[in-house]
Amino acid sequence: MIYGYARVSTDGQSVTAQVAELRKHGAGKVFREVASGAKTDRAQLRRLLDQLDAGDVLMVTRLDRLARSTRDLLNTLATITGRKAGFRSLGDTWADTTTAHGRLILTVLGGLAEFERDLIRTRTGEGRERAKARGVKLGRKPKLTEHQKREAIRRRDVDGETVREIARSYNVSHSTISRLTAS
């Protein structure tokens, strides 16, 4: 079965031209949606993806009707491929997983996206290490100062005050006080 997906961004636009084009190219059922392409969670697209079976084809008039970013496109294509279905974009002839050439192009794009993710992860890690070397403290700021920690430990261990009372006085969780250790 060939499914079509037609999307417009605002109520003032119409999916009529997209539906006609998809039907002309063999779409038996067309899912219509009025939603921003920036939204990754679109109800009709989700319904369509859930209906795909092995051998089905999801067809769009242009790639931007399906996804706004490479990441979104690759995630959607992975879902389609996982259901053993194909994908075709009428306006972007290279984006056709029903042909060997189209699968090659999309595989190369997927590899480039994965490479880019690895580069970003590496650069981020290097930046984090450089920041640590400069003495930058990463993560959340401590709820208690060193003085407050020493005082809370004394109140708990020496004065015998309950953890909950101490926590309430510092406006922190009782777990924060329980985790404190005398050094």
Side-chain angles (χ1 to χ4, degrees), residues 16-123:
T16 307
Q18 289 179 52
V19 171
E21 186 74 9
L22 292 166
R23 291 223 188 269
K24 183 174 122 185
H25 285 86
K29 184 170 183 181
V30 178
F31 287 77
R32 300 167 172 100
E33 190 146 51
V34 176
S36 168
K39 284 178 56 180
T40 55
D41 187 29
R42 290 171 275 167
Q44 291 301 310
L45 178 59
R46 189 173 55 250
R47 277 189 56 222
L48 169 52
L49 294 172
D50 288 344
Q51 285 189 19
L52 288 176
D53 287 322
D56 289 344
V57 175
L58 187 159
M59 187 168 41
V60 294
T61 55
R62 292 189 332 256
L63 275 179
D64 68 342
R65 300 298 86 200
L66 185 67
R68 278 283 175 88
S69 69
T70 305
R71 158 90 59 237
D72 188 26
L73 174 63
L74 292 172
N75 288 341
T76 304
L77 290 175
T79 302
I80 294 167
T81 304
R83 299 187 71 87
K84 305 218 182 323
F87 170 75
R88 246 177 85 202
S89 171
L90 300 175
D92 309 282
T93 54
W94 55 267
D96 184 351
T97 66
T98 64
T99 68
H101 183 260
R103 283 189 300 275
L104 171 67
I105 297 293
L106 290 168
T107 301
V108 169
L109 286 176
L112 289 172
E114 190 173 330
F115 177 69
E116 180 185 10
R117 277 193 305 275
D118 285 345
L119 285 177
I120 291 168
R121 191 175 303 120
T122 301
R123 285 193 302 258

Side-chain angles (χ1 to χ4, degrees), residues 151-164:
E151 189 177 71
I153 291 169
R154 180 189 51 77
R155 287 171 62 186
R156 181 189 66 196
D157 297 346
V158 177
D159 300 345
E161 204 171 330
T162 69
V163 170
R164 290 194 185 274

Side-chain angles (χ1 to χ4, degrees), residues 162-180:
T162 69
V163 170
R164 290 194 185 274
E165 288 171 345
I166 300 166
R168 202 172 299 115
S169 71
Y170 289 115
N171 196 26
V172 296
S173 163
H174 66 90
S175 301
T176 302
I177 305 300
S178 297
R179 283 191 296 265
L180 294 176

